[in-house]
Each structure stands twice: as structure tokens, then as C-alpha cells.
Amino acid sequence: MSNVVEVQDKVDFEKTVINSDKPVLVDFWAEWCGPCKQIAPIVEAAAEEFKNDITVCKMDIDSNRDIAAEYGIRSIPTLVIFSKGESIGTQIGALSKLQLDEFIRSKI
């Protein structure tokens, strides 16, 4: 069972990300994006490793263009960490497991 939550729409985003009691990592991605598919297992591993510290979500930008635009997502994959409803860190592009772990640790 995956620890990554699929965020489906604006209402879901508000509930799962903006109103979360703990930090949330959002993976903005698209089905056609090769680098997005490349980092998917790394994001899954981080979701398992940090499950007590952070919620990990995925949001398809093709289905949620308004949210992607609201947060300035212009390239994918883009990983954004939110805390108390605010973006506190952004990582654009594919990254290694070590880089993702360091990014998460630096923000939580």
C-alpha cells in the first residue's frame, strides 16, 4: 500500500495540503512526463521513510491547471513542501533519493 496521497482537485488540495497539521510534500507531475516517472519510486520511498513527519501527495497538473498556475508550476516534476498552508521550499526537476531526503530534512 502506497503512502503517497493522490490529490484530485482544489477541495482535496485545500483539505489535504493547505489545512494539514504537518508538513506536506506535493509532487506536481503529469502522465506524459518522463522525469516524473523516473522520480516516482524515489517519492514513494520518501513517503514511507518520512511517514511520521510529512504527508506526501501527488497532483496531476493536467487535471489541475488552476492550482499549478496558482503556485507557479512551470516545469515538472516540481516538488513543493507546504507547512501551515504556505510553500516553504521548492525543488524543480528530477533528483536522487539522497537529494530528496536532504530537501525534506532541511524543511521539516
Side-chain angles (χ1 to χ4, degrees), residues 11-98:
V11 171
D12 204 16
F13 187 83
E14 289 281 331
K15 183 179 100 182
T16 307
V17 178
I18 301 303
N19 296 327
S20 177
D21 292 335
K22 64 182 181 178
V24 180
L25 171 72
V26 180
D27 176 8
F28 290 94
W29 70 289
E31 184 65 39
W32 49 263
C33 170
C36 298
K37 291 178 183 179
Q38 177 186 346
I39 70 163
I42 296 167
V43 172
E44 285 277 346
E48 175 63 29
E49 182 177 339
F50 294 98
K51 66 184 173 190
N52 295 324
D53 304 310
I54 191 167
T55 301
V56 177
C57 301
K58 292 178 72 92
M59 176 163 261
D60 182 347
I61 64 159
D62 287 336
S63 301
N64 296 283
R65 293 179 191 274
D66 56 335
I67 294 172
E70 182 177 339
Y71 290 97
I73 308 303
R74 296 192 177 128
S75 297
I76 53 172
T78 294
L79 303 171
V80 181
I81 296 181
F82 292 84
S83 181
K84 298 181 176 111
E86 299 291 324
S87 168
I88 60 168
T90 302
Q91 181 73 43
I92 299 170
L95 61 161
S96 70
K97 174 76 167 89
L98 178 62

